[in-house]
Amino acid sequence: MKVNIMGLGGRVERSEDYVKKLLKERLPDDMFFHNIKHTKLVVKAVREIGLACNLNKTESEIVIVAGWFHDSGYCYTYEGHEEKSKAIATAFLKQLNADEDFILHVTSCIGATQMPQKPNDLLQQIICDADMFHLSLDQYVSYAENLRKEWHAKTGRSYSEREWILSNVTMLKKHRYFTHYGQNVLQKNKQKNIDRMLTSL
């Protein structure tokens, strides 16, 4: 399911082109999880969840643009990347002559993805759920392994197999989706991943 982005003023398409180019040119090679694959998945999830939430055209544009930019700050910093992502999005959107209200909504959505997530409105809830969409996928274990590799490369953190499984189970159980779609659709699939990981102990 995809939101029809025709007629959205070109900001969605321009944001997509800009972020793809930025990540290709500047994202470090050891970003095994937070990379273009993750960004594309988040944007896909934003569209899917947004459609289920009956967003209007402007709301859709805000959250899709935020999805493209939400991890762009990783091109320059690992810790506190959200603030850098907001700055990158702001500078780009000003070049497109976006109004201040639009920019504020986009950057607020980006900021809401910072852990622990604390969204204040529906659009922020949507991008938060989209950022954690991978928790509900059949391929979750593969995504988790990529994050494990990235953490080791960036922070030196390492885990035994049992420690990694237990930390994942703890995180999955603690995590909650915010939107009705997340709670009614994604949560069920996430529970399957919890069960799979528990059986592997």
Side-chain angles (χ1 to χ4, degrees), residues 30-73:
D30 55 2
M31 297 295 290
F32 301 107
F33 178 85
H34 293 102
N35 49 35
I36 187 61
K37 181 179 179 181
H38 170 70
T39 296
K40 287 179 177 179
L41 177 63
V42 170
V43 172
K44 176 180 180 293
V46 159
R47 289 173 167 149
E48 184 174 315
I49 301 167
L51 188 62
C53 293
N54 297 312
L55 298 186
N56 63 37
K57 189 165 67 173
T58 300
E59 291 169 335
S60 297
E61 184 176 17
I62 288 168
V63 76
I64 293 170
V65 169
W68 279 113
F69 279 97
H70 84 286
D71 276 348
S72 58

Side-chain angles (χ1 to χ4, degrees), residues 20-197:
K20 282 180 176 178
K21 187 172 186 290
L22 178 66
L23 296 182
K24 182 178 181 180
E25 293 179 353
R26 291 192 173 270
L27 193 70
D29 292 336
D30 55 2
M31 297 295 290
F32 301 107
F33 178 85
H34 293 102
N35 49 35
I36 187 61
K37 181 179 179 181
H38 170 70
T39 296
K40 287 179 177 179
L41 177 63
V42 170
V43 172
K44 176 180 180 293
V46 159
R47 289 173 167 149
E48 184 174 315
I49 301 167
L51 188 62
C53 293
N54 297 312
L55 298 186
N56 63 37
K57 189 165 67 173
T58 300
E59 291 169 335
S60 297
E61 184 176 17
I62 288 168
V63 76
I64 293 170
V65 169
W68 279 113
F69 279 97
H70 84 286
D71 276 348
S72 58
Y74 277 124
C75 291
Y76 302 96
T77 184
Y78 199 73
E79 298 297 330
H81 73 279
E82 293 90 357
E83 287 303 312
K84 188 63 178 178
S85 298
K86 288 161 66 175
I88 294 168
T90 297
F92 178 77
L93 292 170
K94 281 184 176 179
Q95 289 181 344
L96 298 186
N97 296 315
D99 61 72
E100 291 297 323
D101 190 57
F102 182 88
I103 295 173
L104 179 60
H105 280 299
V106 169
T107 55
S108 295
C109 283
I110 293 170
T113 63
Q114 184 172 355
M115 302 300 289
Q117 295 177 334
K118 296 179 180 178
N120 293 318
D121 59 33
L122 178 60
L123 298 187
Q124 293 177 25
Q125 290 177 352
I126 289 170
I127 195 167
C128 284
D129 283 3
D131 202 20
M132 296 290 112
F133 190 82
H134 66 285
L135 305 185
S136 70
L137 298 178
D138 289 342
Q139 304 88 354
Y140 168 71
V141 172
S142 175
Y143 282 101
E145 279 300 316
N146 286 334
L147 183 60
R148 184 183 184 181
K149 284 174 61 180
E150 182 178 300
W151 280 355
H152 183 70
K154 291 297 187 180
T155 71
R157 279 186 273 181
S158 60
Y159 301 80
S160 69
E161 287 301 316
R162 182 175 178 80
E163 287 172 340
W164 182 245
I165 292 170
L166 287 173
S167 69
N168 273 263
V169 170
T170 299
M171 181 275 296
L172 288 165
K173 285 184 174 181
K174 185 177 181 181
H175 169 264
R176 292 291 180 271
Y177 286 112
F178 298 101
T179 63
H180 288 302
Y181 185 82
Q183 292 166 1
N184 295 323
V185 178
L186 304 182
Q187 180 67 30
K188 293 177 183 177
N189 293 330
K190 187 184 73 173
Q191 184 59 48
K192 294 177 182 177
N193 287 323
I194 294 173
D195 295 340
R196 288 190 190 106
M197 298 204 85

